[in-house]
Amino acid sequence: METNELIKALAADTRPPPASLSTVWWGAAALAAAVAAAVFLATLAPRPDLAAAAGTLRFLFKFVVLLTLALGAFGALRILSRPEGDLRKTVPLLMASPILLVAAVTLELFTTPSESWPERLMGTSNVYCFLLVMAIGLGPLSIFLLAMRHGAPSRSGIAGAVAGLLAGGIAGTIYVLHCTDDSPLFVATWYTLAIAGLSGLGALAAQRLVRW
Amino acid sequence: MDSSDDNELARLMRAAIAGDERAYGEFLRRAACLVRGFARRKIVNGGIDPEDIVQETLLAIHLKRHTWREDAPVAPWLYAIARYKLIDAFRRRGRRMEIDIEAIAEPAAEPQAELAREWEINRALESLAPGQRSVVAAVSVDGRSISETASNLGMSETAVRVALHRGLAAIARRFGRG
């Protein structure tokens, strides 16, 4: 088949192009949030002192740092799912949450006695937190990998890792309602581990599943 | 390639997405020229036919045209797809060469006669189901319209369109992997 003949066949395939990437990403994000919320409500309950905790700085910080991660990763993923997606443009989006986290950890270290650090870091629910954030994030991660197959990422591994960050950001934001360990030291350790796990999983899965 | 060329490409692509078949044909011919130039510059050691890259890129452009933003320039998007397909082809060729070396190391291996250059796309076309293959061949190689193909093959026009679309998607999946 000559190239000109191929062009004839492509031009004759006039079925309207599938839904735009932007539509698909917003749909995927809404679905992922709904799935994560449903898993949370079916298996866990909000912490009993939620109303009181919601007014404390440490709780609000936890919520904000995870939401910032989710929003930044969503923007980055939308860039990276296009062929010309520029990695450099995603850096500011992805750096916002880690910068907040480092600032909060620094503040915590300056304002609390060092004898209390191990207890703050280990919390009461560390492994439990790690496993639950991973578990809540698996559904959203699968949805984002499917959405990515609709796109055309030039670097599927990196895009998959960012999809894991997004899934982890959503799962963490929701799990915050249950988790009673509020120290930034705890968040920087156990939430980060779970989100890194999802990110690694996303990278591996995308390299295998997202080919075009 | 300056900005007025890119504006023209973007105009053709927008018309194509709105359903203008002739604008789409013109867009694809121009895209083929750009990708051909790119592939010839990048492939210096031979081993890969630049025209294979052109064809594989055109298929990807077609199937992934919804990943172009209508307010964005066309060239960066188009060259990114071409680069992706070129890297993919180099990777496949690397694997194939390793296999060739293993075959040569076998003492029983006989030198094979040089075969005529076979285009990758024809291998992909041959691997299609017969119904899809005859529709794709009629529209491309024989240059028939959808309605001519429908009456020649005794199919409805809708069935021809579906077979064409699925056939092209299957060719894109199997390209270079036959």
Side-chain angles (χ1 to χ4, degrees):
Chain A
M1 195 194 293
E2 303 277 341
T3 300
N4 281 334
E5 296 165 349
L6 173 65
I7 289 174
K8 276 185 229 159
L10 296 175
D13 182 20
T14 51
R15 291 156 58 100
S20 83
L21 257 190
S22 194
T23 313
V24 167
W25 277 123
W26 283 106
L31 185 64
V35 165
V39 170
F40 177 81
L41 291 174
T43 54
L44 298 168
R47 59 195 280 182
D49 62 341
L50 183 62
T56 68
L57 206 56
R58 284 193 175 81
F59 177 88
L60 286 176
F61 151 75
K62 207 160 58 156
F63 190 69
V64 166
V65 78
L66 289 158
L67 196 60
T68 307
L69 173 69
L71 293 174
F74 184 60
L77 195 52
R78 291 182 58 191
I79 294 174
L80 292 175
S81 60
R82 297 182 193 278
E84 78 280 23
D86 187 349
L87 204 55
R88 282 166 299 182
K89 285 186 189 155
T90 68
V91 173
L93 294 168
L94 293 174
M95 285 310 288
S97 177
I99 288 172
L100 279 177
L101 188 59
V102 169
V105 166
T106 311
L107 215 63
E108 179 85 340
L109 293 180
F110 272 109
T111 53
T112 58
S114 58
E115 309 85 69
S116 71
W117 292 348
E119 192 188 318
R120 286 170 188 274
L121 189 144
M122 295 308 286
T124 54
S125 62
N126 44 47
V127 177
Y128 188 63
C129 162
F130 166 75
L131 292 175
L132 281 170
V133 171
M134 284 276 274
I136 296 172
L138 285 178
L141 179 58
S142 319
I143 291 167
F144 296 136
L145 289 171
L146 280 179
M148 211 189 296
R149 282 172 63 94
H150 185 70
S154 281
R155 298 176 189 175
S156 56
I158 293 174
V162 174
L165 294 180
L166 174 54
I170 291 175
T173 304
I174 288 176
Y175 180 72
V176 156
L177 300 173
H178 175 80
C179 174
T180 50
D181 291 305
D182 292 338
S183 170
L185 299 179
F186 182 89
V187 177
T189 309
W190 301 101
Y191 280 76
T192 302
L193 272 179
I195 292 164
L198 285 165
S199 188
L201 208 59
L204 287 176
Q207 279 176 337
R208 278 155 190 76
L209 298 175
V210 185
R211 293 201 180 131
W212 52 279
Chain B
M1 174 108 194
D2 59 31
S3 67
S4 71
D5 289 337
D6 200 289
N7 289 341
E8 178 61 8
L9 271 180
R11 189 190 66 74
L12 288 169
M13 187 58 153
R14 277 191 290 269
I17 289 169
D20 183 341
E21 198 175 323
R22 285 185 51 195
Y24 194 31
E26 179 61 24
F27 173 86
L28 291 170
R29 274 187 289 279
R30 292 185 185 206
C33 287
L34 294 174
V35 177
R36 193 172 290 123
F38 169 81
R40 286 183 182 160
R41 280 196 305 280
K42 295 287 177 185
I43 301 170
V44 284
N45 293 330
I48 294 175
D49 188 333
E51 208 56 25
D52 283 340
I53 302 298
V54 172
Q55 296 186 346
E56 205 182 350
T57 304
L58 290 177
L59 280 160
I61 285 172
H62 179 63
L63 295 171
K64 294 294 183 184
R65 62 198 188 280
H66 58 276
T67 66
W68 176 64
R69 287 198 348 248
E70 297 209 5
D71 56 349
V74 175
W77 175 77
L78 191 136
Y79 284 122
I81 295 177
R83 192 171 300 119
Y84 180 80
K85 289 300 176 186
L86 184 67
I87 291 170
D88 205 26
F90 276 130
R91 203 176 289 144
R92 284 198 306 261
R93 176 164 165 73
R95 263 204 300 273
R96 207 171 297 153
M97 279 178 69
E98 282 169 28
I99 295 166
D100 285 351
I101 290 165
E102 281 169 21
I104 290 165
E106 291 282 319
E110 297 260 321
Q112 286 190 335
E114 191 72 30
L115 292 172
R117 173 83 187 86
E118 175 72 356
W119 283 15
E120 294 285 354
I121 197 166
N122 289 337
R123 284 193 220 169
L125 181 63
E126 279 155 23
S127 73
L128 293 185
Q132 287 176 358
R133 188 173 58 216
S134 46
V135 166
V136 173
V139 176
S140 61
V141 181
D142 307 336
R144 304 254 183 259
S145 70
I146 297 285
S147 58
E148 285 170 335
T149 306
S151 62
N152 285 355
L153 297 175
M155 297 165 73
S156 73
E157 288 196 16
T158 309
V160 168
R161 287 182 194 282
V162 169
L164 177 65
H165 183 76
R166 292 193 181 153
L168 290 170
I171 288 176
R173 274 197 305 277
R174 292 171 197 174
F175 203 103
R177 291 169 179 86

